[in-house]
Amino acid sequence: MTTSAIRTMVPDDRKAVIQLLSDSEPWNTLGYGVDDWSRIFCPLPQGRDCYIAERDGHVAGVAIVKQKFLLGDYLELLGVAVWARQKGVGGQLLTHIESLVFQRTKNLFACVSDFNEPARAFYKKQGYLEIGPMPNFLIPGHAEILLRKTAGPVRKS
């Protein structure tokens, strides 16, 4: 298995990130297109930690983390290029994020679409628990499921 290099996103990554997300699920089913991603990534998201996974010199994955969410941090977006899936890129990117997050807080939250079975299986394998659904959150008839991985209670008894 080739290891991906994880680094902070820079403006030159925008075009590749927009293409990566525009070409893949669940974003297409959720109604996100090139125009949406262009607005989100131009300029780069402010007040967020943005990371890129690079494989063989190409952008293979992207992640955005919002700090200070529900006594933890929130993984707003995790996307892996179709050509890089099932090669460990998502796991390496998520492990990198978790190592940073769990240095400063005890919880990392994420959401996954109820119809996105591969992502649900991925997060379960990574130790995330499904907390509960948010019906009709992004599109009618489907739920976003709140996930949580924890390093322990926030407070000691």
Side-chain angles (χ1 to χ4, degrees):
M1 176 174 73
T2 303
T3 302
S4 300
I6 310 297
R7 61 175 174 75
T8 301
M9 186 177 177
V10 296
D12 286 345
D13 295 320
R14 280 194 290 252
K15 184 176 178 183
V17 166
I18 290 167
Q19 189 68 53
L20 178 159
L21 295 167
S22 297
D23 288 346
S24 66
E25 289 296 335
W27 315 113
N28 292 330
T29 298
L30 293 171
Y32 286 86
V34 171
D35 290 342
D36 299 301
W37 295 119
S38 295
R39 279 191 300 277
I40 290 168
F41 287 101
C42 192
L44 295 182
Q46 302 297 303
R48 308 293 195 265
D49 301 328
C50 300
Y51 302 98
I52 292 296
E54 228 177 31
R55 187 176 171 106
D56 301 325
H58 300 282
V59 173
V62 59
I64 301 175
V65 177
K66 178 183 184 338
Q67 293 186 28
K68 299 183 180 170
F69 174 87
L70 292 177
L71 299 175
D73 286 357
Y74 178 63
L75 179 61
E76 287 188 341
L77 178 116
L78 179 67
V80 176
V82 173
W83 59 265
R85 292 181 182 174
Q86 302 296 316
K87 296 180 180 174
V89 172
Q92 291 171 351
L93 188 53
L94 188 57
T95 297
H96 177 80
I97 290 164
E98 290 171 355
S99 70
L100 299 172
V101 167
F102 290 135
Q103 289 178 35
R104 64 180 171 248
T105 189
K106 298 282 189 177
N107 296 294
L108 181 57
F109 296 91
C111 278
V112 65
S113 299
D114 61 357
F115 61 83
N116 192 347
E117 292 300 331
R120 290 175 77 178
F122 168 78
Y123 282 111
K124 183 176 182 178
K125 182 178 174 186
Q126 303 298 323
Y128 285 76
L129 296 176
E130 293 189 357
I131 303 303
M134 294 180 284
N136 301 311
F137 190 73
L138 291 176
I139 58 174
H142 289 283
E144 291 300 301
I145 301 169
L146 182 64
L147 309 172
R148 175 182 171 234
K149 185 170 184 176
T150 185
V154 174
R155 302 183 78 169
K156 296 179 180 171
S157 56

